[in-house]
Amino acid sequence: MPADAPDPVTMTLEEIDIVRRFVAANPATFELATTAADIRRIEKAGRIASLIGVEGGHQIDGRLSVLRQYRALGVAYMTLTHGKSLNWADSSTDAPRANGLSDFGRQVVAEMNRIGMIVDVSHVSDATMAAALAATKAPVIASHSSARAIADAPRNIPDELLRAICANGGVVMVNFYPSFLSAAWRAWDVARSAYAKSVGVPAGAYGAKSPAPLVTWDAAHPEPQVTVATVADHVEHIAKIAGHDHVGIGGDFDGIQGTGPIGLKGVDGYPLLFAELARRGWSDGDLAKLSGGNVLRVMERVEAVAKGMAGMPPVDATDVASR
């Protein structure tokens, strides 16, 4: 959901409705999942477990009541921010407003713990990530973030926070956007975007979909190669710093405008990543954790924390300044 969407709650409800209708219309293939047990059962039955996430805290419009209703409709996780900072939490790609988490931001995290919704720390600033880790009683995920030590992008996670996510029991799920994987690709894309702006064409399309001036520019400035091995470097770095129990796959194909590593522009390329990691010595057990086992463990722990908080009443808090 765009961070500047004019009516984010209505738009979110419409998208939740689309997911639920799509799943209901294709029962032989899909089933809605809201728990780890659902996922295991649905997978065992040979169907695809479909989950719903809310990507950006702006979508609750400063109201915990809205957060609770999303959970009731099947939302399993929420990313605290998207591309813009909120009054209660800061984005990694915007100026800070909360300098971590405000009091309301900590209430959001506490309520997510109480209702069994996973806290997602992708997109947030380092200060907000640290504050969320300090506030939460349950493990977090970073649903689509890579390693800053490999590629210095604000959306990536530095080693000290990788260690903190390990201590929290959480999981960092590697993003496949070349800008977050390769410094060379990121520099190429910055130059490409500057040229696109200078000639008045949009820069957010790549390859055959590019405007004619960018097709010419691309021919004169070849795109740096980002490969499956580049992704494996990020996976291995996170595993080295945080441990094999704390890394997963984030993809982000819908958000990266058709880009992606060579051979890994869709889920059909996942076997190439597993083969690369196997060549590097990863065991079947470690690959099973990467492919979903680690996230299922987080879900189960989030559910257990919520069960332990079941006697606590909801807090009817609002944050007027963020609405």
Side-chain angles (χ1 to χ4, degrees), residues 178-199:
S179 184
F180 301 155
L181 295 172
S182 162
W185 196 96
R186 186 176 180 83
W188 172 85
D189 194 49
V190 168
R192 185 179 188 271
S193 297
Y195 174 75
K197 184 177 181 180
S198 74
V199 296

Side-chain angles (χ1 to χ4, degrees), residues 2-279:
D4 55 358
D7 188 357
V9 174
T10 299
M11 291 179 71
T12 302
L13 291 173
E14 288 174 345
E15 297 224 4
I16 291 172
D17 179 66
I18 289 170
V19 173
R20 296 182 70 95
R21 286 189 289 120
F22 184 85
V23 169
N26 298 276
T29 305
F30 300 102
E31 184 176 342
L32 188 67
T34 60
T35 67
D38 286 344
I39 295 172
R40 297 184 193 278
R41 173 181 54 78
I42 294 165
E43 184 181 48
K44 188 175 181 179
R47 295 193 299 277
I48 296 170
S50 300
L51 296 95
I52 303 173
V54 164
E55 190 176 6
H58 62 288
Q59 292 175 241
I60 67 170
D61 197 28
R63 292 176 285 185
L64 294 186
S65 57
V66 174
L67 179 75
R68 286 189 287 271
Q69 292 309 303
Y70 288 163
R71 182 60 179 146
L73 290 170
V75 174
Y77 78 90
M78 184 175 75
T79 319
L80 296 182
T81 71
H82 193 240
K84 293 185 180 297
S85 294
L86 308 175
N87 187 58
W88 54 270
D90 298 323
S91 171
S92 64
T93 51
D94 195 12
R97 295 174 60 186
N99 295 308
L101 286 175
S102 70
D103 289 343
F104 179 78
R106 285 184 284 273
Q107 287 180 310
V108 170
V109 171
E111 190 66 353
M112 292 176 74
N113 289 167
R114 191 187 71 84
I115 63 178
M117 188 182 287
I118 303 168
V119 174
D120 178 18
V121 295
S122 282
H123 278 287
V124 305
S125 71
D126 292 356
T128 293
M129 192 178 299
L133 288 165
T136 185
K137 299 181 185 301
V140 305
I141 61 170
S143 63
H144 53 306
S145 298
S146 300
R148 196 177 297 173
I150 304 295
D152 188 7
R155 279 274 285 101
N156 289 345
I157 301 178
D159 285 0
E160 63 267 24
L161 286 171
L162 291 178
R163 294 186 186 96
I165 289 174
C166 169
N168 160 266
V171 175
V172 177
M173 303 166 71
V174 174
N175 191 320
F176 293 174
Y177 184 26
S179 184
F180 301 155
L181 295 172
S182 162
W185 196 96
R186 186 176 180 83
W188 172 85
D189 194 49
V190 168
R192 185 179 188 271
S193 297
Y195 174 75
K197 184 177 181 180
S198 74
V199 296
V201 298
Y206 298 86
K209 295 182 179 180
S210 301
L214 284 183
V215 172
T216 303
W217 191 92
D218 290 349
H221 305 82
E223 178 181 0
Q225 288 199 344
V226 178
T227 68
V228 172
T230 315
V231 179
D233 290 343
H234 283 264
V235 172
E236 286 219 286
H237 182 82
I238 293 168
K240 176 184 176 183
I241 300 300
H244 285 84
D245 290 342
H246 305 284
V247 64
I249 295 174
D252 198 23
F253 293 121
D254 184 58
I256 59 178
Q257 295 84 42
T259 62
I262 296 168
L264 198 52
K265 289 181 167 62
V267 296
D268 56 341
Y270 281 8
L272 297 175
L273 174 61
F274 284 84
E276 175 66 23
L277 291 168
R279 280 192 292 269

